[in-house]
Amino acid sequence: MKLILLGAAGSGKGTMAKKIAADFNVPQISTGDMFREIAKKGGELGEKVKSLMESGALVPNEITFEVLKQRLKQKDCKKGFILDGFPRSLAQAEMLQKLTDIDAVISIELPFKQLEQRLVSRRICPKCGDIDNASYQGYTGNCRKCGTKLFQRDDDKPEAIKARLEVYKKDVTPLIDFYGEKVMTVSSAGSPDETYAPVKTFLSKLEAKA
Ligand code: AMP
């Protein structure tokens, strides 16, 4: 099953991708995670990617596509994959179409005001990647799973958030038209499990048909 997940930062896209990956046995491919790894490694490319990400801008298409192409060639993608964070523009969707066909697109929707509120208080565990929220009751500043001190991503700071949401609005909305009938839209106003339930039903039917 070859899937795309669309959703602005803070929509719960990463959480949803993990659930789909576990239930449908396909790898989650997050271009954002891949770029964070590249930025961590440093060097000329790493430094460039790091500064773009910190400012909330997109990494240029040539770099993004090359990174993705190499990842999709790996063995674990033979049975399918779930793309999280790609495509982010019509140009990227057109590039992807030259590589492979997509079975379905899940678009997660939430009003921008709510996205902003979620993002400014989002905190991440540097060790296990768990995501918590400083506005939740019982928040301690340490990871609920492994106890490590949580941190705030540089691009979750208010100035970068605005830029990211603007970029998202401008570039991703046309993708909904591009993928047409393949798109399933879901609201993430409820809990992660409530958001995921209709998606699981939709994908189970899709899988049964294949
Ligand atoms: P994310 O974790 O998906 O919010 O991505 C974090 C950052 O990585 C983005 O703000 C971009 O700078 C970069 N990035 C991730 N995916 C892409 C993509 N498909 N095209 C260009 N830049 C990307």
Side-chain angles (χ1 to χ4, degrees), residues 31-32 35-36 53 57-59 64 85-86 88 92 153 164:
T31 43
F35 285 138
R36 275 183 283 280
M53 286 175 82
L58 289 179
V59 174
T64 305
F86 187 98
R88 262 178 157 87
Q92 290 189 352
R153 274 169 45 172
R164 286 164 83 198

Side-chain angles (χ1 to χ4, degrees), residues 41-154:
K41 283 191 191 135
E44 200 184 325
L45 179 65
E47 287 303 320
K48 184 174 178 183
V49 166
K50 187 166 182 252
S51 72
L52 285 166
M53 286 175 82
E54 279 173 2
S55 69
L58 289 179
V59 174
N61 279 344
E62 314 80 70
I63 300 176
T64 305
F65 198 57
E66 195 48 39
V67 166
L68 182 76
K69 204 162 117 187
Q70 295 311 323
R71 179 66 187 87
L72 293 184
K73 275 188 192 159
Q74 289 173 23
K75 222 169 138 195
D76 63 337
C77 294
K78 287 248 174 327
K79 56 185 183 299
F81 48 78
I82 172 147
L83 291 179
D84 165 9
F86 187 98
R88 262 178 157 87
S89 66
L90 212 45
Q92 290 189 352
E94 282 162 357
M95 284 186 205
L96 180 64
Q97 208 173 28
K98 288 187 190 141
L99 264 192
T100 187
D101 275 335
I102 292 299
D103 297 309
V105 177
I106 312 294
S107 174
I108 310 176
E109 300 194 342
L110 197 68
F112 272 25
K113 262 271 151 286
Q114 272 167 275
L115 291 172
E116 259 181 310
Q117 277 163 5
R118 278 191 192 178
L119 283 172
V120 281
S121 47
R122 179 163 78 169
R123 299 292 182 271
I124 319 273
C125 174
K127 198 166 167 202
C128 73
D130 193 46
I131 299 171
D132 202 349
N133 198 296
S135 70
Y136 290 167
Q137 246 188 353
Y139 175 82
T140 62
N142 294 320
C143 179
R144 293 165 295 187
K145 290 195 177 149
C146 69
T148 308
K149 192 170 162 35
L150 302 175
F151 78 105
Q152 181 178 34
R153 274 169 45 172
D154 283 332

Side-chain angles (χ1 to χ4, degrees), residues 189-207:
S191 70
D193 284 342
E194 282 164 352
T195 306
Y196 180 52
V199 175
K200 188 172 178 178
T201 307
F202 171 78
L203 293 179
S204 300
K205 282 187 192 152
L206 195 74
E207 197 176 46

